[in-house]
Amino acid sequence: MKSYLPLPLSCMPLLCMPLAFNAQAVAVTPGLDLGGAVRVNYAWKDYDDDPKLAFELFRAEVNYQEDGLFASAQYRWYQDMDVIHHAYFGYQLTEEQKVQAGVTQVPFGLLPYASHSFWFGATYYLGFEDDYDAGVHWQYKDENLRLDLAYFANDEYANGTRYDRYSFDVATTEGSPYEEAGQLNARIEYRLNPGGMAKGEPSHRFGVSLQYAKLDYVGATDNSQGEDATAYALAAHWQTDWQQWQAQLQYLHYDYRVAAANRLGLSAFGFPFEVASRADVVTANLSRSIDVSWGPISNLNCYNDFSQVLVSGAGRSTSTQNVTGCAITAGKFYSYLDWIAGKNMWFVDGPGVGIAAADSAWHSRLNINIGFYF
């Protein structure tokens, strides 16, 4: 049993772009914008008597769009690592269709995020939320329908032994020597009453996502032989927006068919860890945006994000996470105030996700993140 979280404060996860906040980038030319962010973070944990306030991140990004061509890239410097977030280019084929290639977001599940908080949901730590891989992505989108098809050749670094990364990917470890080697994604979403928000009526988005992947067995240190593996995942998701409320529901099932194992290695932010190789994941979130006039503060987006990873079998145990908090907009500052409660959950004193732990108690942490976006 771990008695502390084995990650530096500077490597805490968070959303690549706040949901209710638009950073004002600098327009270099009519089609080219430059922007970035600087953030600091405070963390207190009930299982570690060592609260800290520290630099968390500096990031730089560029966005381009002109004559049907577009491109976007973002790079991040944390206290202990620097990583790519995304980097892609594309072409707007028609008003409804576009294609892009590079390190781009995997179209799976609730988009752009299956959460509202700094801390994401359990799906993020399993590689099914805000994941970026290297491949080609086609999208069709009209007023009611969105279709996504994508093929990813590998993870963003094409290297399972590199643990310094933003997205959670399959890791090459001694106990789980695999790496991502090809992935197909298909996603369909239908929007019901898309203009309802303007009339004070609810607007709904219903969708289904599918994913099929191949894992290469790259060998173990003892030269033992292994076999390549396959994996699949499917999700049904729903989001409704009504006035200043938003609700999200998602059911996800995944299965990494690794031989003679009930767990698999993943990594991000410098550390590998283990997850159950097969699980069902439930997500239920609720948020409300509140406009205020409190000095420089103009908006609060308050939420409760719940997710649970349901598993069974020897060496496995269900993981649960609940995040209650608010995102605060004040000029070019965007901050998160989160209370994270977890049971047998990575990042909240758990050994992994879906992995049995000697300590089955709930643990909590307070996290405050203050960001300046430009």
Side-chain angles (χ1 to χ4, degrees):
M1 178 186 72
K2 296 187 183 76
S3 60
Y4 61 92
L5 180 69
L7 292 181
L9 177 65
S10 61
C11 290
M12 297 304 169
L14 76 158
L15 304 180
C16 71
M17 177 62 67
L19 298 183
F21 177 75
N22 293 317
Q24 297 175 348
V26 177
V28 179
T29 68
L32 181 65
D33 294 334
L34 298 178
V38 180
R39 297 194 295 243
V40 295
N41 202 88
Y42 172 80
W44 173 90
K45 296 163 275 189
D46 69 0
Y47 49 91
D48 180 9
D49 187 21
D50 188 22
K52 293 181 180 179
L53 173 66
F55 163 80
E56 189 255 332
L57 168 145
F58 174 81
R59 82 181 192 197
E61 57 189 293
V62 58
N63 294 283
Y64 170 77
Q65 186 170 0
E66 192 172 23
D67 297 329
L69 296 170
F70 61 88
S72 180
Q74 184 186 116
Y75 202 81
R76 298 183 167 203
W77 290 266
Y78 292 89
Q79 196 176 90
D80 302 290
M81 67 176 191
D82 59 277
V83 296
I84 190 171
H85 181 270
H86 68 267
Y88 61 82
F89 61 90
Y91 184 69
Q92 192 78 35
L93 300 170
T94 66
E95 186 177 350
E96 296 84 11
Q97 298 183 67
K98 65 179 180 180
V99 63
Q100 60 194 47
V103 178
T104 183
Q105 189 180 43
V106 176
F108 188 88
L110 287 161
L111 292 178
Y113 313 107
S115 56
H116 303 89
S117 71
F118 173 95
W119 218 253
F120 289 95
T123 47
Y124 175 65
Y125 305 100
L126 293 167
F128 295 109
E129 180 182 354
D130 205 32
D131 181 31
Y132 293 82
D133 289 328
V136 180
H137 177 194
W138 170 85
Q139 181 187 115
Y140 172 91
K141 184 178 181 181
D142 62 26
E143 185 179 22
N144 296 102
L145 182 65
R146 172 172 169 172
L147 300 172
D148 294 271
L149 293 174
Y151 173 76
F152 297 96
N154 41 252
D155 66 64
E156 61 269 39
Y157 288 107
N159 182 2
T161 63
R162 174 171 174 145
Y163 305 145
D164 288 353
R165 61 181 67 228
Y166 167 81
S167 297
F168 283 76
D169 293 305
V170 172
T172 304
T173 65
E174 183 174 356
S176 179
Y178 293 94
E179 66 179 12
E180 298 177 11
Q183 178 176 298
L184 289 170
N185 283 87
R187 182 180 185 273
I188 182 170
E189 178 183 275
Y190 183 78
R191 190 168 183 179
L192 182 65
N193 195 22
M197 287 288 289
K199 298 180 290 185
E201 300 172 354
S203 176
H204 305 278
R205 292 193 291 168
F206 304 91
V208 175
S209 299
L210 302 174
Q211 178 173 301
Y212 178 82
K214 179 183 177 183
L215 306 179
D216 276 353
Y217 184 88
V218 295
T221 56
D222 60 2
N223 295 319
S224 61
Q225 299 297 312
E227 297 181 352
D228 295 344
T230 59
Y232 74 89
L234 56 89
H237 34 90
W238 166 77
Q239 176 176 306
T240 186
D241 294 273
W242 176 62
Q243 297 182 0
Q244 293 179 300
W245 293 91
Q246 183 179 91
Q248 295 177 319
L249 290 175
Q250 179 172 274
Y251 165 79
L252 185 155
H253 174 79
Y254 72 87
D255 188 356
Y256 289 97
R257 298 182 171 183
V258 291
N262 62 4
R263 57 186 65 190
L264 183 79
L266 299 185
S267 71
F269 294 93
F271 287 88
F273 65 103
E274 291 184 322
V275 304
S277 59
R278 179 178 181 177
D280 298 289
V281 188
V282 177
T283 299
N285 307 325
L286 182 66
S287 73
R288 188 177 192 272
S289 177
I290 307 167
D291 293 327
V292 299
S293 297
W294 299 346
I297 300 175
S298 58
N299 181 267
L300 304 176
N301 188 42
C302 298
Y303 43 76
N304 191 84
D305 293 342
F306 173 84
S307 52
Q308 189 168 54
V309 183
L310 303 167
V311 298
S312 62
R316 306 184 192 185
S317 182
T318 292
S319 293
T320 306
Q321 177 178 289
N322 193 85
V323 184
T324 303
C326 288
I328 305 165
T329 301
K332 290 189 176 183
F333 287 87
Y334 193 83
S335 306
Y336 291 93
L337 175 61
D338 289 329
W339 181 263
I340 303 102
K343 185 176 182 181
N344 191 38
M345 185 66 195
W346 184 243
F347 276 106
V348 198
D349 204 35
V353 182
I355 304 300
D359 180 5
S360 60
W362 283 88
H363 290 287
S364 300
R365 58 187 300 151
L366 171 69
N367 198 85
I368 303 172
N369 187 270
I370 302 173
F372 171 67
Y373 294 81
F374 55 91

